[in-house]
Amino acid sequence: MQEFEKQVRAARGRQAELAEVRTKLQAALHARLAETGEAERDPKVIELRAAIKALQAEKYDLDQGLSAASKPTHTLSAE
Amino acid sequence: MAAYNKFQAFVENIAEKVHNLQSDAITAALTATASAPVATNSVLADLTQISYTNLSSRVFTVTTSAQSSGTYTWLLADLTLTASGGAVAAFQYVAIYNDTPTSPADPLIGWYDYGSALTLLDTETLLIDFTTSTFTLV
């Protein structure tokens, strides 16, 4: 159980990190869009969007994993 | 904590090479409140099992099967039973049996009492949490 709880803690930490990075990337994207207005052709915008997409994919997998690995509904503690 | 209850025939089966507790397929059997196991049950057919529809695998992994200073320890890895696709029939007792031997077929080992009837609803889980040993032999 200790190993399981350690893994869940690590996954939650990574989840928080990803949320923070996503916020920063989105702020950068919005700033770039406001600055250039050339959304579709601007390589920086394309790069930022790709980075956000990749991050979202990792976060989705993590969310799913954490949901599945959440605490058991019931426990039978066998002596 | 749920106490380990021994089926009496188990000790004779150990002595008469029915079990290989390191490599055999050790499995959980669930019974309802009205069908409590008793110590004189000896094989799986003696138990009235619930329907396992919507329940995940009931096969345990043996973590430890070894002696140290003459004391044999048998420990099963924790097993999570999960309801998937719907609820699972209510049960109260978790029995452990050996699914490998054919004579006698499916000999019983021991059982635990959850304490009350339990219905696992869809996606709910029951963690069978073993501590330091499932049983020891001295």
Side-chain angles (χ1 to χ4, degrees), chain B residues 35-124:
Chain B
S35 307
V38 294
T40 49
N41 293 148
S42 62
V43 292
L44 184 62
D46 295 341
L47 302 181
T48 304
Q49 300 177 76
I50 63 162
S51 161
Y52 296 119
T53 302
N54 299 323
L55 190 64
S56 58
S57 168
R58 293 172 288 114
V59 180
F60 291 102
T61 299
V62 177
T63 301
T64 305
S65 174
Q67 67 81 28
S68 176
S69 303
T71 298
Y72 171 82
T73 298
W74 193 57
L75 175 64
L76 298 175
D78 295 350
L79 177 69
T80 299
L81 300 176
T82 304
S84 178
V88 175
F91 62 93
Q92 179 168 343
Y93 302 95
V94 178
I96 300 171
Y97 71 98
N98 187 341
D99 199 26
T100 301
T102 51
S103 181
D106 305 329
L108 298 170
I109 295 172
W111 83 92
Y112 298 94
D113 181 355
Y114 181 73
S116 59
L118 174 63
T119 299
L120 290 182
L121 301 176
D122 192 8
T123 73
E124 285 192 345

Coordinates of all heavy atoms in Angstrom, one line a residue, chain B residues 35-124:
Chain B
S35 N -25.0 -17.7 3.5 CA -24.2 -18.9 3.1 C -22.8 -18.9 3.7 O -21.8 -19.0 3.0 CB -24.1 -19.0 1.6 OG -25.4 -19.0 1.0
A36 N -22.8 -18.6 5.0 CA -21.5 -18.5 5.7 C -20.7 -19.8 5.6 O -21.2 -20.9 5.8 CB -21.7 -18.1 7.1
P37 N -19.4 -19.7 5.3 CA -18.5 -20.9 5.3 C -18.4 -21.4 6.7 O -18.6 -20.7 7.7 CB -17.2 -20.4 4.8 CG -17.4 -19.0 4.2 CD -18.6 -18.5 4.9
V38 N -18.2 -22.7 6.9 CA -17.9 -23.3 8.2 C -16.6 -24.1 8.1 O -16.2 -24.5 7.0 CB -19.1 -24.2 8.7 CG1 -20.3 -23.4 8.9 CG2 -19.4 -25.3 7.7
A39 N -16.0 -24.3 9.2 CA -14.6 -24.8 9.2 C -14.6 -26.3 8.7 O -13.5 -26.7 8.2 CB -14.1 -24.9 10.7
T40 N -15.7 -26.9 8.7 CA -15.7 -28.3 8.1 C -15.9 -28.4 6.6 O -15.9 -29.5 6.1 CB -16.8 -29.2 8.8 OG1 -18.0 -28.4 8.8 CG2 -16.4 -29.4 10.3
N41 N -16.2 -27.3 6.0 CA -16.2 -27.3 4.5 C -14.8 -27.6 4.0 O -13.8 -27.2 4.7 CB -16.6 -25.9 4.0 CG -18.0 -25.4 4.3 OD1 -18.3 -24.3 4.4 ND2 -18.9 -26.4 4.4
S42 N -14.7 -28.4 3.0 CA -13.4 -28.8 2.5 C -13.1 -28.4 1.1 O -11.9 -28.2 0.7 CB -13.2 -30.3 2.7 OG -14.1 -31.0 2.0
V43 N -14.1 -28.4 0.2 CA -13.8 -28.1 -1.2 C -14.8 -27.0 -1.7 O -15.8 -26.7 -1.0 CB -13.9 -29.3 -2.1 CG1 -12.8 -30.3 -1.9 CG2 -15.3 -29.9 -2.0
L44 N -14.4 -26.4 -2.8 CA -15.2 -25.2 -3.3 C -16.7 -25.6 -3.4 O -17.6 -24.8 -3.1 CB -14.7 -24.7 -4.6 CG -15.3 -23.5 -5.2 CD1 -15.2 -22.3 -4.3 CD2 -14.7 -23.2 -6.6
A45 N -17.0 -26.8 -3.8 CA -18.3 -27.3 -4.1 C -19.2 -27.2 -2.8 O -20.4 -27.3 -2.8 CB -18.3 -28.7 -4.7
D46 N -18.5 -27.2 -1.6 CA -19.2 -27.1 -0.3 C -19.8 -25.7 -0.1 O -20.7 -25.5 0.8 CB -18.3 -27.5 0.8 CG -17.8 -28.9 0.8 OD1 -18.5 -29.7 0.1 OD2 -16.8 -29.2 1.4
L47 N -19.3 -24.7 -0.8 CA -19.7 -23.4 -0.6 C -20.8 -23.0 -1.6 O -20.8 -23.5 -2.8 CB -18.6 -22.4 -0.8 CG -17.4 -22.5 0.1 CD1 -16.3 -21.5 -0.2 CD2 -17.8 -22.5 1.6
T48 N -21.7 -22.1 -1.2 CA -22.7 -21.5 -2.2 C -22.2 -20.2 -2.6 O -22.2 -19.2 -1.8 CB -24.1 -21.4 -1.5 OG1 -24.5 -22.7 -1.0 CG2 -25.1 -20.9 -2.5
Q49 N -21.6 -20.1 -3.8 CA -21.0 -18.9 -4.2 C -22.1 -17.9 -4.8 O -23.1 -18.4 -5.3 CB -20.0 -19.2 -5.3 CG -18.8 -20.0 -4.8 CD -17.9 -20.3 -6.0 OE1 -17.1 -19.5 -6.3 NE2 -18.0 -21.5 -6.5
I50 N -21.7 -16.6 -4.8 CA -22.6 -15.7 -5.5 C -22.3 -15.7 -7.0 O -21.4 -16.4 -7.4 CB -22.4 -14.2 -5.0 CG1 -20.9 -13.8 -5.3 CG2 -22.7 -14.1 -3.5 CD1 -20.7 -12.3 -5.2
S51 N -23.1 -15.0 -7.8 CA -22.9 -14.9 -9.2 C -21.8 -13.8 -9.4 O -21.8 -12.8 -8.7 CB -24.1 -14.4 -9.9 OG -23.8 -13.9 -11.2
Y52 N -20.8 -14.1 -10.2 CA -19.7 -13.2 -10.4 C -19.8 -12.3 -11.6 O -18.8 -11.6 -12.0 CB -18.4 -14.0 -10.5 CG -18.0 -14.8 -9.2 CD1 -17.9 -16.2 -9.3 CD2 -17.9 -14.1 -8.0 CE1 -17.7 -16.9 -8.1 CE2 -17.6 -14.9 -6.9 CZ -17.5 -16.2 -6.9 OH -17.3 -16.9 -5.8
T53 N -21.0 -12.2 -12.1 CA -21.3 -11.2 -13.2 C -20.8 -9.8 -12.8 O -21.1 -9.4 -11.7 CB -22.8 -11.2 -13.5 OG1 -23.1 -12.6 -13.9 CG2 -23.0 -10.3 -14.7
N54 N -20.1 -9.1 -13.6 CA -19.6 -7.8 -13.5 C -18.4 -7.6 -12.5 O -18.0 -6.5 -12.2 CB -20.7 -6.8 -12.9 CG -21.9 -6.7 -13.9 OD1 -21.7 -6.7 -15.1 ND2 -23.1 -6.6 -13.4
L55 N -17.9 -8.8 -12.1 CA -16.7 -8.7 -11.2 C -15.4 -9.0 -11.9 O -15.4 -9.8 -12.8 CB -16.9 -9.7 -10.0 CG -16.0 -9.6 -8.9 CD1 -16.1 -8.2 -8.1 CD2 -16.1 -10.7 -7.8
S56 N -14.4 -8.3 -11.4 CA -13.0 -8.5 -12.0 C -12.5 -9.8 -11.5 O -13.1 -10.5 -10.7 CB -12.1 -7.3 -11.6 OG -12.1 -7.3 -10.2
S57 N -11.2 -10.1 -12.0 CA -10.6 -11.4 -11.7 C -10.4 -11.6 -10.2 O -10.2 -10.7 -9.4 CB -9.2 -11.4 -12.3 OG -8.4 -12.4 -11.8
R58 N -10.6 -12.8 -9.8 CA -10.5 -13.2 -8.4 C -9.2 -14.0 -8.0 O -9.2 -14.6 -7.0 CB -11.8 -14.0 -8.0 CG -13.1 -13.2 -8.0 CD -14.3 -14.1 -7.8 NE -14.5 -14.9 -9.0 CZ -14.4 -16.3 -9.0 NH1 -14.1 -16.9 -7.9 NH2 -14.7 -17.0 -10.1
V59 N -8.3 -14.0 -9.0 CA -7.1 -14.8 -8.8 C -6.0 -13.9 -8.0 O -5.7 -12.8 -8.4 CB -6.5 -15.2 -10.1 CG1 -5.3 -16.1 -9.9 CG2 -7.6 -16.1 -10.9
F60 N -5.5 -14.5 -7.0 CA -4.4 -13.9 -6.2 C -3.0 -14.1 -6.8 O -2.8 -15.1 -7.5 CB -4.4 -14.4 -4.8 CG -5.6 -14.1 -4.0 CD1 -6.6 -15.0 -3.8 CD2 -5.7 -12.8 -3.4 CE1 -7.7 -14.7 -3.0 CE2 -6.9 -12.5 -2.6 CZ -7.8 -13.5 -2.4
T61 N -2.1 -13.2 -6.4 CA -0.7 -13.5 -6.7 C 0.0 -13.8 -5.4 O -0.3 -13.1 -4.3 CB -0.1 -12.2 -7.3 OG1 -0.7 -11.9 -8.5 CG2 1.4 -12.4 -7.5
V62 N 0.8 -14.9 -5.4 CA 1.5 -15.2 -4.1 C 2.7 -14.4 -4.0 O 3.6 -14.4 -4.9 CB 1.8 -16.7 -4.1 CG1 2.7 -17.1 -2.9 CG2 0.6 -17.6 -4.2
T63 N 2.8 -13.6 -3.0 CA 4.0 -12.7 -2.8 C 5.1 -13.5 -2.1 O 6.3 -13.3 -2.4 CB 3.6 -11.5 -1.9 OG1 2.6 -10.8 -2.6 CG2 4.8 -10.6 -1.7
T64 N 4.8 -14.2 -1.0 CA 5.8 -14.9 -0.3 C 5.3 -16.3 0.0 O 4.2 -16.6 0.4 CB 6.0 -14.2 1.1 OG1 6.3 -12.9 0.9 CG2 7.1 -14.9 1.9
S65 N 6.2 -17.3 -0.2 CA 6.0 -18.7 0.1 C 7.4 -19.2 0.5 O 8.1 -19.7 -0.4 CB 5.4 -19.5 -1.1 OG 5.4 -20.8 -0.7
A66 N 7.8 -19.0 1.7 CA 9.2 -19.3 2.1 C 9.3 -19.5 3.6 O 8.4 -19.0 4.4 CB 10.1 -18.2 1.7
Q67 N 10.3 -20.2 4.0 CA 10.5 -20.3 5.5 C 11.7 -19.5 5.9 O 12.6 -19.3 5.1 CB 10.7 -21.8 5.8 CG 12.0 -22.5 5.3 CD 13.2 -22.2 6.1 OE1 13.1 -22.0 7.3 NE2 14.4 -22.2 5.4
S68 N 11.7 -19.1 7.1 CA 12.9 -18.4 7.7 C 13.0 -18.9 9.2 O 12.0 -18.9 9.9 CB 12.6 -16.9 7.7 OG 13.7 -16.3 8.4
S69 N 14.1 -19.5 9.5 CA 14.3 -20.1 10.8 C 13.3 -21.1 11.2 O 12.8 -21.2 12.3 CB 14.4 -19.0 11.9 OG 15.4 -18.1 11.6
G70 N 12.8 -21.8 10.2 CA 11.8 -22.9 10.4 C 10.4 -22.4 10.5 O 9.5 -23.3 10.6
T71 N 10.1 -21.2 10.3 CA 8.7 -20.7 10.2 C 8.4 -20.4 8.8 O 9.0 -19.5 8.1 CB 8.5 -19.4 11.1 OG1 8.8 -19.8 12.5 CG2 7.1 -18.9 11.0
Y72 N 7.4 -21.0 8.3 CA 6.9 -20.8 6.9 C 5.9 -19.7 6.9 O 5.0 -19.6 7.7 CB 6.3 -22.1 6.3 CG 5.6 -21.9 5.0 CD1 6.3 -21.9 3.8 CD2 4.2 -21.7 4.9 CE1 5.7 -21.8 2.6 CE2 3.6 -21.6 3.7 CZ 4.3 -21.6 2.5 OH 3.7 -21.4 1.3
T73 N 6.1 -18.8 6.0 CA 5.2 -17.6 5.8 C 4.6 -17.7 4.4 O 5.3 -17.8 3.4 CB 5.9 -16.3 6.0 OG1 6.4 -16.2 7.3 CG2 5.0 -15.1 5.7
W74 N 3.3 -17.5 4.4 CA 2.6 -17.5 3.1 C 1.9 -16.1 3.1 O 1.1 -15.8 4.0 CB 1.6 -18.6 3.0 CG 1.0 -18.8 1.6 CD1 1.7 -19.1 0.5 CD2 -0.4 -18.9 1.3 NE1 0.8 -19.3 -0.6 CE2 -0.4 -19.1 -0.1 CE3 -1.6 -18.7 2.0 CZ2 -1.6 -19.2 -0.8 CZ3 -2.8 -18.8 1.3 CH2 -2.8 -19.1 -0.1
L75 N 2.2 -15.3 2.0 CA 1.5 -14.0 1.9 C 1.0 -13.8 0.5 O 1.7 -14.0 -0.5 CB 2.6 -12.9 2.3 CG 2.1 -11.5 2.1 CD1 1.0 -11.1 3.0 CD2 3.3 -10.5 2.3
L76 N -0.2 -13.4 0.4 CA -0.8 -13.1 -0.9 C -0.7 -11.6 -1.1 O -0.8 -10.8 -0.1 CB -2.3 -13.5 -0.9 CG -2.6 -14.9 -0.7 CD1 -4.1 -15.2 -0.6 CD2 -2.0 -15.7 -1.9
A77 N -0.5 -11.2 -2.4 CA -0.6 -9.7 -2.7 C -2.0 -9.2 -2.5 O -3.0 -9.9 -2.7 CB -0.1 -9.6 -4.1
D78 N -2.1 -7.9 -2.2 CA -3.4 -7.3 -2.1 C -4.1 -7.5 -3.4 O -3.5 -7.4 -4.5 CB -3.2 -5.8 -1.8 CG -2.6 -5.6 -0.4 OD1 -2.5 -6.5 0.4 OD2 -2.3 -4.4 -0.1
L79 N -5.4 -7.7 -3.3 CA -6.2 -7.9 -4.5 C -7.4 -6.9 -4.5 O -8.1 -6.8 -3.5 CB -6.7 -9.3 -4.6 CG -7.7 -9.6 -5.7 CD1 -6.9 -9.6 -7.1 CD2 -8.3 -11.0 -5.6
T80 N -7.6 -6.2 -5.6 CA -8.7 -5.3 -5.7 C -9.8 -5.9 -6.6 O -9.5 -6.2 -7.7 CB -8.3 -3.9 -6.2 OG1 -7.3 -3.3 -5.3 CG2 -9.5 -3.0 -6.3
L81 N -10.9 -6.1 -6.0 CA -12.1 -6.6 -6.8 C -12.9 -5.4 -7.3 O -13.2 -4.5 -6.4 CB -13.0 -7.5 -5.9 CG -12.3 -8.8 -5.3 CD1 -13.3 -9.5 -4.4 CD2 -11.8 -9.7 -6.4
T82 N -13.2 -5.3 -8.5 CA -13.8 -4.2 -9.1 C -15.1 -4.6 -9.8 O -15.1 -5.5 -10.6 CB -12.9 -3.4 -10.1 OG1 -11.7 -3.1 -9.4 CG2 -13.5 -2.2 -10.6
A83 N -16.2 -3.8 -9.5 CA -17.4 -4.0 -10.3 C -17.4 -3.2 -11.5 O -17.0 -2.0 -11.5 CB -18.6 -3.6 -9.4
S84 N -17.7 -3.8 -12.6 CA -17.6 -3.1 -13.9 C -18.8 -3.5 -14.8 O -19.0 -4.7 -15.0 CB -16.3 -3.5 -14.6 OG -16.2 -2.9 -15.8
G85 N -19.5 -2.5 -15.2 CA -20.7 -2.9 -16.1 C -22.0 -3.0 -15.4 O -23.0 -3.3 -16.0
G86 N -21.9 -2.9 -14.0 CA -23.1 -3.1 -13.2 C -22.7 -3.5 -11.8 O -21.5 -3.7 -11.5
A87 N -23.7 -3.7 -11.0 CA -23.4 -4.1 -9.6 C -23.1 -5.6 -9.5 O -23.5 -6.3 -10.5 CB -24.6 -3.8 -8.7
V88 N -22.5 -6.0 -8.5 CA -22.2 -7.4 -8.2 C -23.1 -7.9 -7.1 O -23.4 -7.1 -6.2 CB -20.7 -7.6 -7.8 CG1 -20.4 -9.0 -7.5 CG2 -19.8 -7.1 -9.0
A89 N -23.5 -9.1 -7.2 CA -24.4 -9.7 -6.1 C -23.8 -9.5 -4.7 O -22.6 -9.5 -4.6 CB -24.6 -11.1 -6.4
A90 N -24.6 -9.3 -3.7 CA -24.2 -9.0 -2.4 C -23.4 -10.2 -1.8 O -23.8 -11.4 -2.1 CB -25.4 -8.7 -1.5
F91 N -22.4 -9.9 -1.0 CA -21.6 -11.0 -0.4 C -21.1 -10.5 0.9 O -21.0 -9.3 1.2 CB -20.4 -11.5 -1.3 CG -19.4 -10.4 -1.6 CD1 -18.3 -10.2 -0.8 CD2 -19.6 -9.5 -2.6 CE1 -17.4 -9.2 -1.0 CE2 -18.7 -8.5 -2.9 CZ -17.6 -8.4 -2.1
Q92 N -20.7 -11.4 1.8 CA -20.2 -11.0 3.1 C -18.8 -11.7 3.4 O -18.0 -11.2 4.1 CB -21.2 -11.4 4.2 CG -20.6 -11.0 5.6 CD -21.7 -11.1 6.7 OE1 -22.9 -11.0 6.4 NE2 -21.2 -11.2 7.9
Y93 N -18.7 -12.9 2.8 CA -17.5 -13.7 3.1 C -16.6 -13.9 1.9 O -17.1 -14.1 0.8 CB -17.9 -15.1 3.6 CG -18.8 -15.1 4.8 CD1 -20.2 -15.1 4.7 CD2 -18.3 -14.9 6.1 CE1 -21.0 -15.0 5.8 CE2 -19.1 -14.8 7.2 CZ -20.5 -14.8 7.0 OH -21.3 -14.7 8.1
V94 N -15.3 -13.8 2.2 CA -14.3 -14.0 1.1 C -13.5 -15.3 1.5 O -12.8 -15.3 2.5 CB -13.3 -12.8 1.0 CG1 -12.3 -13.1 -0.1 CG2 -14.1 -11.5 0.7
A95 N -13.7 -16.3 0.7 CA -13.0 -17.6 1.0 C -11.8 -17.6 0.0 O -11.8 -17.1 -1.1 CB -13.9 -18.7 0.8
I96 N -10.8 -18.4 0.4 CA -9.6 -18.6 -0.5 C -9.5 -20.1 -0.8 O -9.6 -20.9 0.2 CB -8.3 -18.1 0.2 CG1 -8.4 -16.6 0.6 CG2 -7.1 -18.4 -0.6 CD1 -7.3 -16.1 1.4
Y97 N -9.4 -20.4 -2.0 CA -9.2 -21.8 -2.4 C -8.2 -22.0 -3.4 O -7.7 -21.0 -4.0 CB -10.6 -22.4 -2.9 CG -11.0 -21.9 -4.2 CD1 -10.8 -22.7 -5.4 CD2 -11.7 -20.7 -4.3 CE1 -11.3 -22.2 -6.6 CE2 -12.1 -20.3 -5.6 CZ -11.9 -21.0 -6.7 OH -12.3 -20.6 -7.9
N98 N -7.8 -23.2 -3.6 CA -6.7 -23.5 -4.6 C -7.4 -24.1 -5.8 O -8.0 -25.2 -5.8 CB -5.7 -24.5 -4.0 CG -4.6 -24.7 -4.9 OD1 -4.6 -24.4 -6.1 ND2 -3.5 -25.3 -4.4
D99 N -7.3 -23.4 -6.9 CA -8.0 -23.7 -8.2 C -7.3 -24.8 -9.0 O -7.8 -25.3 -10.0 CB -8.3 -22.5 -9.0 CG -9.3 -22.6 -10.0 OD1 -10.2 -23.5 -9.8 OD2 -9.3 -22.0 -11.1
T100 N -6.1 -25.1 -8.6 CA -5.3 -26.0 -9.4 C -5.5 -27.5 -9.1 O -5.7 -28.3 -10.1 CB -3.8 -25.7 -9.2 OG1 -3.6 -24.4 -9.6 CG2 -2.9 -26.6 -10.0
P101 N -5.5 -28.0 -7.9 CA -5.7 -29.5 -7.7 C -7.0 -30.0 -8.2 O -8.0 -29.3 -8.3 CB -5.6 -29.6 -6.2 CG -5.0 -28.4 -5.7 CD -5.4 -27.3 -6.6
T102 N -6.9 -31.3 -8.6 CA -8.1 -31.9 -9.1 C -8.6 -33.0 -8.2 O -9.7 -33.5 -8.3 CB -7.9 -32.5 -10.5 OG1 -6.7 -33.4 -10.5 CG2 -7.7 -31.5 -11.6
S103 N -7.8 -33.5 -7.3 CA -8.2 -34.5 -6.3 C -7.6 -34.2 -5.0 O -6.4 -34.5 -4.8 CB -7.7 -35.9 -6.8 OG -8.2 -36.8 -5.9
P104 N -8.3 -33.6 -4.0 CA -9.7 -33.2 -4.2 C -9.7 -31.9 -5.1 O -8.8 -31.2 -5.1 CB -10.1 -32.8 -2.8 CG -8.9 -32.5 -2.1 CD -7.8 -33.3 -2.7
A105 N -10.8 -31.7 -5.8 CA -11.0 -30.6 -6.7 C -11.2 -29.3 -5.9 O -12.0 -29.2 -5.0 CB -12.1 -30.8 -7.6
D106 N -10.4 -28.3 -6.2 CA -10.6 -26.9 -5.6 C -10.6 -26.9 -4.1 O -11.6 -26.5 -3.5 CB -11.9 -26.3 -6.2 CG -11.9 -26.2 -7.7 OD1 -10.8 -26.1 -8.3 OD2 -13.0 -26.3 -8.3
P107 N -9.6 -27.4 -3.4 CA -9.6 -27.5 -2.0 C -9.6 -26.1 -1.3 O -9.0 -25.2 -1.8 CB -8.3 -28.2 -1.6 CG -7.4 -28.0 -2.8 CD -8.3 -27.9 -4.0
L108 N -10.4 -26.0 -0.2 CA -10.5 -24.7 0.5 C -9.3 -24.5 1.4 O -8.7 -25.4 1.9 CB -11.8 -24.7 1.3 CG -13.1 -24.8 0.4 CD1 -14.3 -25.0 1.4 CD2 -13.3 -23.5 -0.4
I109 N -8.9 -23.2 1.6 CA -7.8 -22.9 2.5 C -8.3 -22.1 3.7 O -8.1 -22.6 4.8 CB -6.8 -22.0 1.7 CG1 -6.2 -22.9 0.5 CG2 -5.7 -21.5 2.6 CD1 -5.3 -22.1 -0.4
G110 N -8.9 -21.0 3.5 CA -9.4 -20.2 4.7 C -10.4 -19.2 4.2 O -10.7 -19.1 3.0
W111 N -11.0 -18.4 5.2 CA -11.9 -17.4 4.8 C -11.9 -16.2 5.7 O -11.4 -16.3 6.9 CB -13.3 -18.0 4.6 CG -14.1 -18.1 5.9 CD1 -15.0 -17.2 6.4 CD2 -14.1 -19.2 6.8 NE1 -15.5 -17.7 7.6 CE2 -15.0 -18.9 7.9 CE3 -13.5 -20.4 6.9 CZ2 -15.3 -19.8 8.9 CZ3 -13.7 -21.3 7.9 CH2 -14.6 -21.0 8.9
Y112 N -12.5 -15.1 5.3 CA -12.6 -13.9 6.0 C -14.0 -13.4 6.0 O -14.7 -13.6 5.1 CB -11.7 -12.8 5.4 CG -10.2 -13.1 5.4 CD1 -9.6 -13.6 4.3 CD2 -9.4 -12.8 6.5 CE1 -8.3 -13.9 4.3 CE2 -8.1 -13.1 6.5 CZ -7.5 -13.7 5.4 OH -6.2 -14.0 5.4
D113 N -14.4 -12.8 7.1 CA -15.8 -12.2 7.2 C -15.7 -10.7 7.1 O -15.0 -10.1 7.9 CB -16.3 -12.6 8.6 CG -17.8 -12.1 8.8 OD1 -18.3 -11.4 8.0 OD2 -18.3 -12.5 9.9
Y114 N -16.3 -10.1 6.1 CA -16.3 -8.7 5.9 C -17.1 -8.0 7.1 O -16.9 -6.8 7.4 CB -16.9 -8.3 4.6 CG -16.9 -6.8 4.3 CD1 -15.7 -6.2 4.0 CD2 -18.1 -6.1 4.4 CE1 -15.7 -4.8 3.7 CE2 -18.0 -4.7 4.1 CZ -16.9 -4.1 3.8 OH -16.8 -2.7 3.6
G115 N -18.0 -8.7 7.7 CA -18.7 -8.1 8.8 C -20.1 -7.8 8.5 O -21.0 -7.7 9.5
S116 N -20.5 -7.6 7.3 CA -21.8 -7.3 6.9 C -21.9 -7.5 5.4 O -20.9 -7.6 4.7 CB -22.2 -5.8 7.2 OG -21.3 -5.0 6.6
A117 N -23.1 -7.6 4.9 CA -23.3 -7.8 3.5 C -22.8 -6.6 2.7 O -23.0 -5.5 3.1 CB -24.8 -8.0 3.2
L118 N -22.1 -6.9 1.6 CA -21.6 -5.8 0.8 C -22.0 -6.0 -0.7 O -21.8 -7.1 -1.2 CB -20.0 -5.9 0.9 CG -19.2 -4.9 0.0 CD1 -19.5 -3.5 0.3 CD2 -17.8 -5.2 0.1
T119 N -22.5 -4.9 -1.2 CA -22.9 -4.9 -2.7 C -21.9 -3.9 -3.3 O -21.9 -2.7 -3.0 CB -24.3 -4.5 -2.9 OG1 -25.2 -5.4 -2.2 CG2 -24.6 -4.5 -4.4
L120 N -21.1 -4.4 -4.3 CA -20.3 -3.5 -5.0 C -21.1 -2.9 -6.2 O -21.5 -3.7 -7.1 CB -19.0 -4.2 -5.6 CG -18.0 -4.7 -4.6 CD1 -16.8 -5.4 -5.4 CD2 -17.5 -3.6 -3.8
L121 N -21.3 -1.6 -6.2 CA -22.0 -1.0 -7.3 C -21.0 -0.8 -8.4 O -19.8 -0.9 -8.2 CB -22.6 0.3 -6.8 CG -23.6 0.2 -5.6 CD1 -24.0 1.6 -5.2 CD2 -24.8 -0.7 -6.0
D122 N -21.5 -0.5 -9.6 CA -20.7 -0.3 -10.8 C -19.6 0.6 -10.5 O -19.8 1.7 -9.9 CB -21.6 0.2 -11.9 CG -20.8 0.2 -13.3 OD1 -19.7 -0.4 -13.3 OD2 -21.3 0.7 -14.2
T123 N -18.4 0.3 -10.8 CA -17.1 1.0 -10.6 C -16.5 0.9 -9.1 O -15.4 1.4 -8.9 CB -17.1 2.5 -11.0 OG1 -17.9 3.2 -10.1 CG2 -17.7 2.6 -12.4
E124 N -17.3 0.4 -8.2 CA -16.8 0.3 -6.8 C -15.8 -0.8 -6.7 O -15.8 -1.7 -7.5 CB -18.0 0.1 -5.8 CG -18.8 1.4 -5.6 CD -19.8 1.3 -4.4 OE1 -20.0 0.2 -4.0 OE2 -20.3 2.3 -4.0

